[in-house]
mmCIF file of all heavy atoms in Angstrom:
data_model
loop_
_atom_site.group_PDB
_atom_site.id
_atom_site.type_symbol
_atom_site.label_atom_id
_atom_site.label_comp_id
_atom_site.label_asym_id
_atom_site.label_seq_id
_atom_site.Cartn_x
_atom_site.Cartn_y
_atom_site.Cartn_z
ATOM 1 N N ALA A 1 196.578 54.986 170.092
ATOM 2 C CA ALA A 1 196.803 54.928 168.654
ATOM 3 C C ALA A 1 195.837 53.981 167.963
ATOM 4 O O ALA A 1 195.546 54.145 166.778
ATOM 5 C CB ALA A 1 198.243 54.497 168.380
ATOM 6 N N THR A 2 195.340 52.995 168.661
ATOM 7 C CA THR A 2 194.438 52.015 168.056
ATOM 8 C C THR A 2 193.373 51.598 169.064
ATOM 9 O O THR A 2 193.574 51.705 170.277
ATOM 10 C CB THR A 2 195.210 50.770 167.585
ATOM 11 O OG1 THR A 2 194.296 49.817 167.032
ATOM 12 C CG2 THR A 2 195.959 50.121 168.743
ATOM 13 N N THR A 3 192.261 51.135 168.531
ATOM 14 C CA THR A 3 191.156 50.670 169.387
ATOM 15 C C THR A 3 190.829 49.209 169.121
ATOM 16 O O THR A 3 189.743 48.733 169.470
ATOM 17 C CB THR A 3 189.895 51.526 169.134
ATOM 18 O OG1 THR A 3 189.481 51.356 167.760
ATOM 19 C CG2 THR A 3 190.149 52.987 169.415
ATOM 20 N N ASP A 4 191.754 48.482 168.508
ATOM 21 C CA ASP A 4 191.477 47.097 168.124
ATOM 22 C C ASP A 4 191.195 46.197 169.318
ATOM 23 O O ASP A 4 190.499 45.184 169.192
ATOM 24 C CB ASP A 4 192.665 46.531 167.329
ATOM 25 C CG ASP A 4 192.864 47.252 165.999
ATOM 26 O OD1 ASP A 4 191.896 47.898 165.543
ATOM 27 O OD2 ASP A 4 193.974 47.190 165.441
ATOM 28 N N ALA A 5 191.733 46.532 170.484
ATOM 29 C CA ALA A 5 191.574 45.650 171.645
ATOM 30 C C ALA A 5 190.173 45.721 172.251
ATOM 31 O O ALA A 5 189.776 44.831 173.005
ATOM 32 C CB ALA A 5 192.607 46.007 172.716
ATOM 33 N N VAL A 6 189.421 46.768 171.949
ATOM 34 C CA VAL A 6 188.110 46.953 172.579
ATOM 35 C C VAL A 6 187.102 45.971 171.983
ATOM 36 O O VAL A 6 187.057 45.762 170.761
ATOM 37 C CB VAL A 6 187.617 48.400 172.377
ATOM 38 C CG1 VAL A 6 186.261 48.589 173.046
ATOM 39 C CG2 VAL A 6 188.630 49.373 172.950
ATOM 40 N N ARG A 7 186.289 45.361 172.845
ATOM 41 C CA ARG A 7 185.263 44.428 172.390
ATOM 42 C C ARG A 7 184.239 45.142 171.515
ATOM 43 O O ARG A 7 183.878 46.292 171.761
ATOM 44 C CB ARG A 7 184.577 43.792 173.590
ATOM 45 C CG ARG A 7 185.454 42.797 174.323
ATOM 46 C CD ARG A 7 184.943 42.496 175.719
ATOM 47 N NE ARG A 7 183.535 42.133 175.725
ATOM 48 C CZ ARG A 7 182.832 41.894 176.830
ATOM 49 N NH1 ARG A 7 183.424 41.996 178.014
ATOM 50 N NH2 ARG A 7 181.569 41.569 176.769
ATOM 51 N N ALA A 8 183.768 44.450 170.477
ATOM 52 C CA ALA A 8 182.891 45.063 169.475
ATOM 53 C C ALA A 8 181.612 45.606 170.095
ATOM 54 O O ALA A 8 181.152 46.698 169.734
ATOM 55 C CB ALA A 8 182.573 44.051 168.373
ATOM 56 N N GLU A 9 181.029 44.859 171.047
ATOM 57 C CA GLU A 9 179.750 45.286 171.606
ATOM 58 C C GLU A 9 179.864 46.505 172.518
ATOM 59 O O GLU A 9 178.846 47.093 172.907
ATOM 60 C CB GLU A 9 179.089 44.134 172.377
ATOM 61 C CG GLU A 9 179.853 43.648 173.583
ATOM 62 C CD GLU A 9 180.845 42.549 173.263
ATOM 63 O OE1 GLU A 9 181.228 42.428 172.081
ATOM 64 O OE2 GLU A 9 181.217 41.813 174.185
ATOM 65 N N LEU A 10 181.116 46.892 172.878
ATOM 66 C CA LEU A 10 181.311 48.047 173.761
ATOM 67 C C LEU A 10 181.782 49.283 173.012
ATOM 68 O O LEU A 10 181.887 50.353 173.601
ATOM 69 C CB LEU A 10 182.339 47.705 174.848
ATOM 70 C CG LEU A 10 181.966 46.567 175.804
ATOM 71 C CD1 LEU A 10 183.119 46.277 176.760
ATOM 72 C CD2 LEU A 10 180.700 46.910 176.584
ATOM 73 N N ARG A 11 182.065 49.160 171.714
ATOM 74 C CA ARG A 11 182.660 50.274 170.979
ATOM 75 C C ARG A 11 181.726 51.493 170.928
ATOM 76 O O ARG A 11 182.158 52.629 171.125
ATOM 77 C CB ARG A 11 183.014 49.839 169.554
ATOM 78 C CG ARG A 11 184.246 48.945 169.487
ATOM 79 C CD ARG A 11 184.509 48.483 168.063
ATOM 80 N NE ARG A 11 185.786 47.795 167.982
ATOM 81 C CZ ARG A 11 186.949 48.398 167.777
ATOM 82 N NH1 ARG A 11 186.978 49.714 167.617
ATOM 83 N NH2 ARG A 11 188.072 47.716 167.727
ATOM 84 N N GLU A 12 180.451 51.252 170.629
ATOM 85 C CA GLU A 12 179.532 52.388 170.531
ATOM 86 C C GLU A 12 179.372 53.078 171.879
ATOM 87 O O GLU A 12 179.423 54.308 171.967
ATOM 88 C CB GLU A 12 178.173 51.928 170.009
ATOM 89 C CG GLU A 12 177.186 53.076 169.812
ATOM 90 C CD GLU A 12 175.871 52.624 169.209
ATOM 91 O OE1 GLU A 12 175.736 51.412 168.907
ATOM 92 O OE2 GLU A 12 174.985 53.472 169.045
ATOM 93 N N ALA A 13 179.180 52.290 172.953
ATOM 94 C CA ALA A 13 179.018 52.890 174.286
ATOM 95 C C ALA A 13 180.272 53.665 174.685
ATOM 96 O O ALA A 13 180.195 54.779 175.229
ATOM 97 C CB ALA A 13 178.710 51.808 175.314
ATOM 98 N N PHE A 14 181.464 53.111 174.405
ATOM 99 C CA PHE A 14 182.705 53.813 174.743
ATOM 100 C C PHE A 14 182.888 55.064 173.887
ATOM 101 O O PHE A 14 183.486 56.048 174.332
ATOM 102 C CB PHE A 14 183.898 52.875 174.559
ATOM 103 C CG PHE A 14 184.041 51.855 175.663
ATOM 104 C CD1 PHE A 14 183.127 51.795 176.709
ATOM 105 C CD2 PHE A 14 185.094 50.939 175.661
ATOM 106 C CE1 PHE A 14 183.257 50.867 177.726
ATOM 107 C CE2 PHE A 14 185.230 49.998 176.676
ATOM 108 C CZ PHE A 14 184.301 49.960 177.704
ATOM 109 N N GLY A 15 182.363 55.033 172.647
ATOM 110 C CA GLY A 15 182.393 56.235 171.824
ATOM 111 C C GLY A 15 181.610 57.371 172.464
ATOM 112 O O GLY A 15 182.042 58.536 172.469
ATOM 113 N N TYR A 16 180.459 57.044 173.045
ATOM 114 C CA TYR A 16 179.674 58.061 173.754
ATOM 115 C C TYR A 16 180.430 58.565 174.995
ATOM 116 O O TYR A 16 180.337 59.747 175.345
ATOM 117 C CB TYR A 16 178.316 57.495 174.160
ATOM 118 C CG TYR A 16 177.305 57.479 173.049
ATOM 119 C CD1 TYR A 16 176.886 56.276 172.485
ATOM 120 C CD2 TYR A 16 176.765 58.661 172.558
ATOM 121 C CE1 TYR A 16 175.961 56.260 171.459
ATOM 122 C CE2 TYR A 16 175.827 58.641 171.539
ATOM 123 C CZ TYR A 16 175.431 57.443 170.981
ATOM 124 O OH TYR A 16 174.507 57.420 169.975
ATOM 125 N N VAL A 17 181.154 57.675 175.667
ATOM 126 C CA VAL A 17 181.923 58.089 176.838
ATOM 127 C C VAL A 17 182.986 59.110 176.432
ATOM 128 O O VAL A 17 183.170 60.136 177.094
ATOM 129 C CB VAL A 17 182.569 56.856 177.517
ATOM 130 C CG1 VAL A 17 183.495 57.309 178.643
ATOM 131 C CG2 VAL A 17 181.504 55.925 178.061
ATOM 132 N N VAL A 18 183.703 58.824 175.342
ATOM 133 C CA VAL A 18 184.724 59.767 174.867
ATOM 134 C C VAL A 18 184.092 61.110 174.523
ATOM 135 O O VAL A 18 184.594 62.176 174.914
ATOM 136 C CB VAL A 18 185.450 59.178 173.638
ATOM 137 C CG1 VAL A 18 186.360 60.228 172.994
ATOM 138 C CG2 VAL A 18 186.267 57.958 174.040
ATOM 139 N N ARG A 19 182.991 61.073 173.817
ATOM 140 C CA ARG A 19 182.347 62.317 173.392
ATOM 141 C C ARG A 19 181.916 63.152 174.593
ATOM 142 O O ARG A 19 182.193 64.345 174.672
ATOM 143 C CB ARG A 19 181.134 61.997 172.515
ATOM 144 C CG ARG A 19 180.253 63.196 172.233
ATOM 145 C CD ARG A 19 179.193 62.881 171.219
ATOM 146 N NE ARG A 19 179.790 62.722 169.889
ATOM 147 C CZ ARG A 19 179.099 62.826 168.754
ATOM 148 N NH1 ARG A 19 177.805 63.072 168.797
ATOM 149 N NH2 ARG A 19 179.681 62.675 167.589
ATOM 150 N N GLU A 20 181.250 62.546 175.550
ATOM 151 C CA GLU A 20 180.736 63.305 176.696
ATOM 152 C C GLU A 20 181.868 63.793 177.592
ATOM 153 O O GLU A 20 181.855 64.937 178.075
ATOM 154 C CB GLU A 20 179.759 62.433 177.496
ATOM 155 C CG GLU A 20 179.175 63.121 178.723
ATOM 156 C CD GLU A 20 178.348 64.339 178.352
ATOM 157 O OE1 GLU A 20 177.798 64.382 177.222
ATOM 158 O OE2 GLU A 20 178.255 65.263 179.199
ATOM 159 N N ALA A 21 182.875 62.930 177.832
ATOM 160 C CA ALA A 21 183.975 63.324 178.717
ATOM 161 C C ALA A 21 184.777 64.478 178.110
ATOM 162 O O ALA A 21 185.139 65.441 178.806
ATOM 163 C CB ALA A 21 184.882 62.128 178.988
ATOM 164 N N VAL A 22 185.071 64.412 176.825
ATOM 165 C CA VAL A 22 185.822 65.489 176.170
ATOM 166 C C VAL A 22 185.005 66.772 176.142
ATOM 167 O O VAL A 22 185.534 67.879 176.344
ATOM 168 C CB VAL A 22 186.232 65.044 174.750
ATOM 169 C CG1 VAL A 22 186.795 66.223 173.956
ATOM 170 C CG2 VAL A 22 187.244 63.923 174.820
ATOM 171 N N THR A 23 183.702 66.645 175.913
ATOM 172 C CA THR A 23 182.838 67.834 175.940
ATOM 173 C C THR A 23 182.880 68.496 177.313
ATOM 174 O O THR A 23 182.949 69.724 177.427
ATOM 175 C CB THR A 23 181.387 67.446 175.585
ATOM 176 O OG1 THR A 23 181.373 66.869 174.285
ATOM 177 C CG2 THR A 23 180.479 68.661 175.606
ATOM 178 N N ASN A 24 182.864 67.703 178.376
ATOM 179 C CA ASN A 24 182.933 68.266 179.725
ATOM 180 C C ASN A 24 184.288 68.924 179.989
ATOM 181 O O ASN A 24 184.361 69.937 180.689
ATOM 182 C CB ASN A 24 182.671 67.169 180.762
ATOM 183 C CG ASN A 24 181.190 66.860 180.907
ATOM 184 O OD1 ASN A 24 180.345 67.625 180.449
ATOM 185 N ND2 ASN A 24 180.882 65.733 181.513
ATOM 186 N N VAL A 25 185.362 68.354 179.443
ATOM 187 C CA VAL A 25 186.679 68.974 179.610
ATOM 188 C C VAL A 25 186.696 70.356 178.964
ATOM 189 O O VAL A 25 187.185 71.337 179.539
ATOM 190 C CB VAL A 25 187.774 68.075 178.999
ATOM 191 C CG1 VAL A 25 189.112 68.818 178.954
ATOM 192 C CG2 VAL A 25 187.925 66.796 179.817
ATOM 193 N N LEU A 26 186.130 70.462 177.766
ATOM 194 C CA LEU A 26 186.123 71.752 177.062
ATOM 195 C C LEU A 26 185.194 72.758 177.735
ATOM 196 O O LEU A 26 185.469 73.955 177.740
ATOM 197 C CB LEU A 26 185.699 71.539 175.608
ATOM 198 C CG LEU A 26 186.669 70.726 174.744
ATOM 199 C CD1 LEU A 26 186.068 70.466 173.374
ATOM 200 C CD2 LEU A 26 188.001 71.456 174.603
ATOM 201 N N ARG A 27 184.089 72.263 178.282
ATOM 202 C CA ARG A 27 183.100 73.179 178.859
ATOM 203 C C ARG A 27 183.457 73.623 180.273
ATOM 204 O O ARG A 27 183.302 74.795 180.623
ATOM 205 C CB ARG A 27 181.726 72.495 178.896
ATOM 206 C CG ARG A 27 180.984 72.476 177.590
ATOM 207 C CD ARG A 27 179.643 71.797 177.818
ATOM 208 N NE ARG A 27 178.804 71.802 176.628
ATOM 209 C CZ ARG A 27 177.610 71.230 176.560
ATOM 210 N NH1 ARG A 27 177.131 70.601 177.628
ATOM 211 N NH2 ARG A 27 176.906 71.274 175.465
ATOM 212 N N HIS A 28 183.873 72.682 181.088
ATOM 213 C CA HIS A 28 183.912 72.932 182.523
ATOM 214 C C HIS A 28 185.308 72.865 183.136
ATOM 215 O O HIS A 28 185.436 72.943 184.353
ATOM 216 C CB HIS A 28 183.018 71.902 183.241
ATOM 217 C CG HIS A 28 181.640 71.802 182.663
ATOM 218 N ND1 HIS A 28 180.748 72.847 182.708
ATOM 219 C CD2 HIS A 28 181.019 70.791 182.005
ATOM 220 C CE1 HIS A 28 179.617 72.474 182.117
ATOM 221 N NE2 HIS A 28 179.753 71.236 181.677
ATOM 222 N N SER A 29 186.336 72.678 182.333
ATOM 223 C CA SER A 29 187.656 72.496 182.908
ATOM 224 C C SER A 29 188.652 73.463 182.269
ATOM 225 O O SER A 29 188.507 73.855 181.110
ATOM 226 C CB SER A 29 188.115 71.046 182.692
ATOM 227 O OG SER A 29 189.461 70.887 183.099
ATOM 228 N N ASP A 30 189.686 73.828 183.051
ATOM 229 C CA ASP A 30 190.786 74.634 182.511
ATOM 230 C C ASP A 30 192.008 73.748 182.305
ATOM 231 O O ASP A 30 193.151 74.171 182.477
ATOM 232 C CB ASP A 30 191.118 75.792 183.456
ATOM 233 C CG ASP A 30 191.483 75.296 184.853
ATOM 234 O OD1 ASP A 30 191.394 74.073 185.092
ATOM 235 O OD2 ASP A 30 191.848 76.143 185.693
ATOM 236 N N ALA A 31 191.744 72.487 181.926
ATOM 237 C CA ALA A 31 192.811 71.497 181.808
ATOM 238 C C ALA A 31 193.761 71.847 180.670
ATOM 239 O O ALA A 31 193.385 72.492 179.674
ATOM 240 C CB ALA A 31 192.208 70.113 181.582
ATOM 241 N N GLU A 32 195.009 71.398 180.826
ATOM 242 C CA GLU A 32 196.010 71.520 179.770
ATOM 243 C C GLU A 32 196.284 70.188 179.103
ATOM 244 O O GLU A 32 196.895 70.135 178.024
ATOM 245 C CB GLU A 32 197.320 72.074 180.354
ATOM 246 C CG GLU A 32 197.175 73.472 180.941
ATOM 247 C CD GLU A 32 198.470 73.949 181.566
ATOM 248 O OE1 GLU A 32 199.417 73.140 181.635
ATOM 249 O OE2 GLU A 32 198.539 75.117 181.978
ATOM 250 N N LEU A 33 195.880 69.094 179.740
ATOM 251 C CA LEU A 33 196.136 67.765 179.217
ATOM 252 C C LEU A 33 194.915 66.882 179.448
ATOM 253 O O LEU A 33 194.327 66.891 180.536
ATOM 254 C CB LEU A 33 197.358 67.135 179.909
ATOM 255 C CG LEU A 33 197.665 65.670 179.559
ATOM 256 C CD1 LEU A 33 198.052 65.534 178.092
ATOM 257 C CD2 LEU A 33 198.750 65.119 180.479
ATOM 258 N N CYS A 34 194.547 66.145 178.415
ATOM 259 C CA CYS A 34 193.452 65.162 178.520
ATOM 260 C C CYS A 34 193.992 63.825 178.034
ATOM 261 O O CYS A 34 194.546 63.724 176.927
ATOM 262 C CB CYS A 34 192.251 65.590 177.676
ATOM 263 S SG CYS A 34 190.859 64.414 177.729
ATOM 264 N N THR A 35 193.835 62.798 178.856
ATOM 265 C CA THR A 35 194.390 61.481 178.560
ATOM 266 C C THR A 35 193.269 60.451 178.452
ATOM 267 O O THR A 35 192.361 60.425 179.290
ATOM 268 C CB THR A 35 195.366 61.047 179.670
ATOM 269 O OG1 THR A 35 196.381 62.042 179.805
ATOM 270 C CG2 THR A 35 196.007 59.712 179.335
ATOM 271 N N VAL A 36 193.367 59.639 177.405
ATOM 272 C CA VAL A 36 192.400 58.558 177.204
ATOM 273 C C VAL A 36 193.155 57.237 177.196
ATOM 274 O O VAL A 36 194.144 57.086 176.461
ATOM 275 C CB VAL A 36 191.625 58.728 175.887
ATOM 276 C CG1 VAL A 36 190.656 57.560 175.681
ATOM 277 C CG2 VAL A 36 190.860 60.043 175.886
ATOM 278 N N ARG A 37 192.711 56.295 178.009
ATOM 279 C CA ARG A 37 193.301 54.970 178.056
ATOM 280 C C ARG A 37 192.208 53.929 177.784
ATOM 281 O O ARG A 37 191.083 54.069 178.271
ATOM 282 C CB ARG A 37 193.964 54.713 179.414
ATOM 283 C CG ARG A 37 195.165 55.581 179.684
ATOM 284 C CD ARG A 37 196.340 55.155 178.805
ATOM 285 N NE ARG A 37 197.520 55.992 179.029
ATOM 286 C CZ ARG A 37 197.834 57.036 178.293
ATOM 287 N NH1 ARG A 37 197.040 57.401 177.285
ATOM 288 N NH2 ARG A 37 198.922 57.750 178.546
ATOM 289 N N LEU A 38 192.578 52.899 177.025
ATOM 290 C CA LEU A 38 191.608 51.887 176.619
ATOM 291 C C LEU A 38 192.064 50.502 177.039
ATOM 292 O O LEU A 38 193.266 50.219 177.100
ATOM 293 C CB LEU A 38 191.438 51.882 175.092
ATOM 294 C CG LEU A 38 190.573 52.968 174.457
ATOM 295 C CD1 LEU A 38 190.698 52.893 172.951
ATOM 296 C CD2 LEU A 38 189.134 52.821 174.888
ATOM 297 N N GLY A 39 191.107 49.637 177.310
ATOM 298 C CA GLY A 39 191.362 48.228 177.547
ATOM 299 C C GLY A 39 190.334 47.404 176.806
ATOM 300 O O GLY A 39 189.475 47.937 176.083
ATOM 301 N N THR A 40 190.371 46.108 177.003
ATOM 302 C CA THR A 40 189.422 45.229 176.314
ATOM 303 C C THR A 40 187.981 45.584 176.660
ATOM 304 O O THR A 40 187.109 45.631 175.789
ATOM 305 C CB THR A 40 189.693 43.762 176.684
ATOM 306 O OG1 THR A 40 191.044 43.452 176.365
ATOM 307 C CG2 THR A 40 188.761 42.828 175.919
ATOM 308 N N ASP A 41 187.723 45.854 177.926
ATOM 309 C CA ASP A 41 186.362 46.154 178.355
ATOM 310 C C ASP A 41 186.330 47.318 179.344
ATOM 311 O O ASP A 41 185.506 47.340 180.254
ATOM 312 C CB ASP A 41 185.705 44.909 178.967
ATOM 313 C CG ASP A 41 186.626 44.213 179.949
ATOM 314 O OD1 ASP A 41 187.603 44.845 180.384
ATOM 315 O OD2 ASP A 41 186.366 43.037 180.257
ATOM 316 N N TRP A 42 187.243 48.283 179.177
ATOM 317 C CA TRP A 42 187.203 49.473 180.020
ATOM 318 C C TRP A 42 187.810 50.641 179.266
ATOM 319 O O TRP A 42 188.572 50.469 178.318
ATOM 320 C CB TRP A 42 187.953 49.265 181.342
ATOM 321 C CG TRP A 42 189.413 48.913 181.158
ATOM 322 C CD1 TRP A 42 189.956 47.677 181.025
ATOM 323 C CD2 TRP A 42 190.506 49.850 181.057
ATOM 324 N NE1 TRP A 42 191.313 47.753 180.855
ATOM 325 C CE2 TRP A 42 191.673 49.072 180.880
ATOM 326 C CE3 TRP A 42 190.615 51.224 181.111
ATOM 327 C CZ2 TRP A 42 192.935 49.652 180.743
ATOM 328 C CZ3 TRP A 42 191.870 51.808 180.980
ATOM 329 C CH2 TRP A 42 193.016 51.026 180.803
ATOM 330 N N ILE A 43 187.450 51.851 179.668
ATOM 331 C CA ILE A 43 188.008 53.074 179.110
ATOM 332 C C ILE A 43 188.092 54.106 180.230
ATOM 333 O O ILE A 43 187.203 54.177 181.088
ATOM 334 C CB ILE A 43 187.165 53.609 177.934
ATOM 335 C CG1 ILE A 43 187.836 54.842 177.307
ATOM 336 C CG2 ILE A 43 185.742 53.943 178.377
ATOM 337 C CD1 ILE A 43 187.171 55.294 176.019
ATOM 338 N N GLU A 44 189.169 54.887 180.230
ATOM 339 C CA GLU A 44 189.386 55.895 181.270
ATOM 340 C C GLU A 44 189.782 57.202 180.600
ATOM 341 O O GLU A 44 190.685 57.226 179.761
ATOM 342 C CB GLU A 44 190.469 55.437 182.227
ATOM 343 C CG GLU A 44 190.767 56.443 183.343
ATOM 344 C CD GLU A 44 191.938 55.997 184.197
ATOM 345 O OE1 GLU A 44 193.059 55.918 183.658
ATOM 346 O OE2 GLU A 44 191.719 55.742 185.396
#
């Protein structure tokens, strides 16, 4: 729901991670659920 915990210097790089990972889910996966989890200095 929020990204306030993420360090400022990592926000842009993590934005690219979200974009590429979601693009791969749409292109190459038959998934029904996609989950994104955030931390101060990590994203999954």
Side-chain angles (χ1 to χ4, degrees):
T2 178
T3 62
D4 295 340
V6 181
R7 288 163 51 184
E9 63 271 21
L10 298 176
R11 286 177 172 273
E12 183 176 358
F14 284 1
Y16 280 110
V17 174
V18 171
R19 169 172 289 200
E20 179 63 27
V22 170
T23 300
N24 281 345
V25 170
L26 294 174
R27 281 181 176 178
H28 309 295
S29 173
D30 58 356
E32 298 177 354
L33 174 65
C34 179
T35 304
V36 178
R37 294 289 179 264
L38 282 172
T40 303
D41 46 17
W42 59 271
I43 184 171
E44 180 185 64

